[in-house]
């Protein structure tokens, strides 16, 4: 399986994340990818290549142009306004406020385009985000050309980014761009399977009113964990998209028996629908020792999960998402890929 990876991910490394009322080193940090790369090499995944330059056309066609301009220019505007630190949202529109008027001041603009203030923007965030989606694009082109699978080792991750907001460590929705590229290249039915512990709210938002991309997400129950306000089981899609969105929220302490049953149900729905290609938002934060999650999966469970996904026999792109038990993130990620290959 070919792996696409860019060193430019290192350009994004905020020095602080607001967690539990204090600033801490971000859980989403560059070292995550070092552990994954080391494990890939150890397990003989040696076909690791850098992506070509990002193709902005499918990104601008899918995401809000004003939002993309904001991401590109936010750092310069922030510094021009005399701000001393990294960009962190301090003012956000709440109930009863205007959601349709974008502030001119950069402080207000940040709040307009952000849905989770734990996520900071740095000088290198835009370039890192572009390199991340470039890896996803390269993986899509590789599979569209005939490969059975590819792994986009994306960082920053993407599945929390909507068409016009960032948060949850995500800026550009890599999985959504990948799915759209499959549609643009001729696939009529594209499925996105999100196995990250946290709900893929951004991916759901982007495809919620569409019938050509089926979305299924296994995640912590939103009444108990981020992103809190979305990801309930009764969210089935809207308009033309009704019946093409499937959420599997699960409570604290969920183990592999319940989790794998949800995975099997999602796989059955994707197969019954007749998906032609599959995009997997590959988060491994369902692991038992993940510091910001509460499922109880063991490392071997990820191998079995990959095997179940592989039995679908669909052309597949894996896009890296979360996983914050850094010393095990490589093992758990590669276990999914090896299970998939075994199938």
């Amino acid at each position: 399986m070919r792996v696409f990876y860019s060193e430019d991910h290192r350009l994004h490394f905020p020095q602080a994340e607001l967690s539990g009322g204090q600033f801490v080193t971000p859980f989403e940090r560059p070292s995550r990818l070092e552990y994954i790369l080391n494990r890939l090499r150890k397990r003989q995944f040696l076909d690791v290549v850098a992506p070509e330059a990002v193709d902005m056309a499918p990104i601008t066609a899918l995401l809000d142009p004003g939002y993309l301009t904001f991401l590109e220019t936010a750092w310069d505007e922030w510094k021009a306004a005399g701000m001393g630190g990294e960009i962190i949202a301090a003012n956000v529109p709440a109930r009863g406020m205007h959601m349709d008027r974008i502030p001119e001041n950069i402080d207000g603009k940040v709040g307009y385009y952000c849905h989770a203030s734990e996520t900071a923007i740095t000088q290198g965030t835009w370039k890192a985000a572009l390199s991340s989606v470039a890896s996803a694009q390269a993986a899509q082109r590789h599979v569209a050309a005939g490969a059975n699978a590819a792994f986009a080792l994306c960082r920053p991750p993407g599945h929390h980014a909507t068409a016009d907001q960032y948060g949850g460590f995500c800026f550009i929705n890599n999985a959504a761009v990948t799915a759209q590229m499959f549609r643009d290249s001729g696939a009529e039915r594209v499925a996105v399977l999100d196995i990250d512990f946290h709900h893929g709210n951004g991916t759901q938002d982007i495809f919620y009113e569409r019938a050509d991309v089926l979305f299924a997400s296994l995640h912590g129950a939103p009444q108990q964990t981020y992103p809190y306000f979305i990801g309930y089981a009764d969210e089935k899609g809207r308009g033309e998209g009704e019946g093409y969105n499937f959420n599997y929220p699960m409570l604290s302490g969920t183990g592999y028996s319940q989790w794998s049953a949800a995975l099997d149900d999602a796989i059955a729905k994707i197969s019954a629908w007749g998906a032609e290609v599959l995009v997997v938002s590959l988060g491994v934060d369902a692991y038992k020792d993940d510091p910001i999650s509460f499922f109880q999966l063991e490392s071997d469970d990820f191998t079995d999960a990959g095997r179940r996904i592989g039995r679908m026999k669909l052309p597949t792109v894996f896009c890296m998402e979360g996983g914050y038990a850094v010393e095990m993130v490589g093992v758990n990620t590669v276990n999914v890929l090896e299970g998939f290959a075994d199938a």
Side-chain angles (χ1 to χ4, degrees):
M1 184 185 302
R2 181 166 293 177
V3 178
F4 295 91
Y5 161 80
S6 172
E7 282 284 328
D8 282 351
H9 80 90
R10 300 178 188 279
L11 297 172
H12 173 70
F13 188 13
Q15 296 306 294
E17 172 186 335
L18 184 60
S19 177
Q22 60 185 342
F23 284 106
V24 301
T25 301
F27 292 101
E28 203 295 291
R29 60 189 70 164
S31 60
R32 296 175 61 242
L33 266 59
E34 292 303 315
Y35 283 98
I36 297 171
L37 286 168
N38 288 339
R39 186 65 177 180
L40 286 166
R41 296 186 191 104
K42 185 174 182 179
R43 301 298 293 177
Q44 299 301 303
F45 284 78
L46 302 178
D47 188 8
V48 180
V49 299
E52 299 174 359
V54 66
D55 180 3
M56 291 301 300
I59 301 171
T60 55
L62 188 66
L63 306 183
D64 177 70
Y67 171 60
L68 293 172
T69 298
F70 161 78
L71 288 179
E72 183 177 9
T73 62
W75 182 258
D76 289 341
E77 286 191 55
W78 185 257
K79 289 305 175 182
M83 305 297 192
E86 296 172 342
I87 300 176
I88 298 176
N91 301 280
V92 297
R95 287 184 292 274
M97 295 183 179
H98 284 288
M99 299 292 292
D100 57 343
R101 300 180 186 180
I102 305 174
E104 294 179 3
N105 183 286
I106 184 60
D107 189 38
K109 201 179 293 185
V110 169
Y112 179 84
Y113 284 116
C114 179
H115 64 68
S117 60
E118 87 289 281
T119 302
I121 292 177
T122 72
Q123 184 174 12
T125 297
W126 173 241
K127 289 183 179 179
L130 290 182
S131 76
S132 184
V133 72
S135 293
Q137 290 180 331
Q140 187 278 332
R141 287 190 290 265
H142 184 61
V143 172
N148 70 316
F151 176 35
L153 186 46
C154 298
R155 182 182 175 274
H159 71 147
H160 293 308
T162 70
D164 61 358
Q165 284 190 308
Y166 71 94
F169 313 134
C170 302
F171 302 94
I172 297 176
N173 196 309
N174 304 307
V177 171
T178 301
Q180 185 60 50
M181 288 178 66
F182 275 122
R183 284 288 294 116
D184 294 342
S185 62
E188 293 187 1
R189 297 187 176 196
V190 180
V192 180
L193 174 62
D194 191 323
I195 63 171
D196 188 279
F197 168 80
H198 301 94
H199 178 247
N201 60 292
T203 314
Q204 172 172 306
D205 179 76
I206 289 170
F207 296 118
Y208 203 61
E209 298 184 7
R210 290 174 51 172
D212 55 340
V213 178
L214 183 149
F215 177 66
S217 176
L218 284 63
H219 53 269
Q223 66 267 30
Q224 293 185 334
T225 191
Y226 177 86
Y228 294 111
F229 307 104
I230 188 171
Y232 289 90
D234 59 359
E235 297 163 14
K236 300 290 189 180
R238 183 185 302 115
E240 292 184 3
E242 186 173 357
Y244 299 96
N245 193 92
F246 300 98
N247 286 326
Y248 298 86
M250 289 168 275
L251 298 174
S252 177
T254 290
Y256 190 61
S257 177
Q258 181 183 354
W259 191 92
S260 61
L263 177 62
D264 286 344
D265 191 75
I267 288 172
K269 286 182 168 60
I270 291 169
S271 299
W273 182 57
E276 299 165 52
V277 294
L278 178 67
V279 180
V280 178
S281 275
L282 176 52
V284 293
D285 40 359
Y287 180 59
K288 63 179 182 178
D289 292 328
D290 195 275
I292 56 174
S293 309
F294 54 57
F295 288 168
Q296 297 297 313
L297 271 63
E298 304 280 352
S299 289
D300 288 345
D301 295 332
F302 290 101
T303 306
D304 185 68
R307 191 175 294 117
R308 294 177 191 229
I309 294 169
R311 291 183 188 134
M312 300 173 72
K313 303 298 183 185
L314 288 175
T316 301
V317 170
F318 292 91
C319 292
M320 192 67 207
E321 302 287 1
Y324 308 104
V326 291
E327 293 184 359
M328 291 300 294
V329 68
V331 172
N332 296 334
T333 299
V334 177
N335 279 2
V336 174
L337 303 180
E338 289 188 323
F340 179 90
D342 287 344

